[in-house]
Amino acid sequence: QMDNLFNESYQVLEKNTKLTPQIILMEKFYKIIANMAHYSSTYQDAITGKKTEVDFLNGYIIKSGKKYSIPTPQNEAILKQFEEMYEQ
């Protein structure tokens, strides 16, 4: 699921931003998260009932995907799942 979210987001963002090649970004991403010893701020916000940035971030990818006719089913699914779980 992480790969799919990453791929969708990259496809959308590269339409209006010059990005580092996808494979390099993905390798850096997984290297960074491999040794994380804490929970993300999004998770911390969600479990404490605070508003998170999920709607903004994934919503941006979804809206931009529609603008460029790029399907974003993984972003849509994760946003829906998150909204159901945490009732933003």
Side-chain angles (χ1 to χ4, degrees):
Q1 190 175 35
M2 289 295 295
D3 286 349
N4 290 333
L5 286 167
F6 190 97
N7 292 336
E8 283 179 11
S9 299
Y10 190 93
Q11 288 175 5
V12 169
L13 294 171
E14 74 175 342
K15 291 296 183 185
N16 59 6
T17 305
K18 185 177 180 188
L19 300 173
T20 299
Q22 185 173 351
I23 189 69
I24 294 171
L25 283 179
M26 188 174 272
E27 287 171 357
K28 285 182 180 183
F29 172 73
Y30 279 112
K31 185 176 181 180
I32 290 169
I33 67 169
N35 297 315
M36 291 177 74
H38 67 281
Y39 293 105
S40 71
S41 62
T42 300
Y43 175 78
Q44 293 176 40
D45 287 344
I47 64 169
T48 59
K50 295 178 183 174
K51 183 162 178 59
T52 70
E53 66 274 3
V54 172
D55 185 49
F56 175 77
L57 297 173
N58 293 79
Y60 177 81
I61 297 297
I62 294 165
K63 289 174 193 163
S64 297
K66 289 178 181 174
K67 177 181 174 182
Y68 297 116
S69 300
I70 298 171
T72 57
Q74 289 296 313
N75 277 276
E76 292 172 26
I78 203 77
L79 181 58
K80 181 179 179 185
Q81 181 183 20
F82 199 89
E83 288 171 343
E84 289 170 357
M85 290 175 65
Y86 299 106
E87 297 183 25
Q88 295 276 306

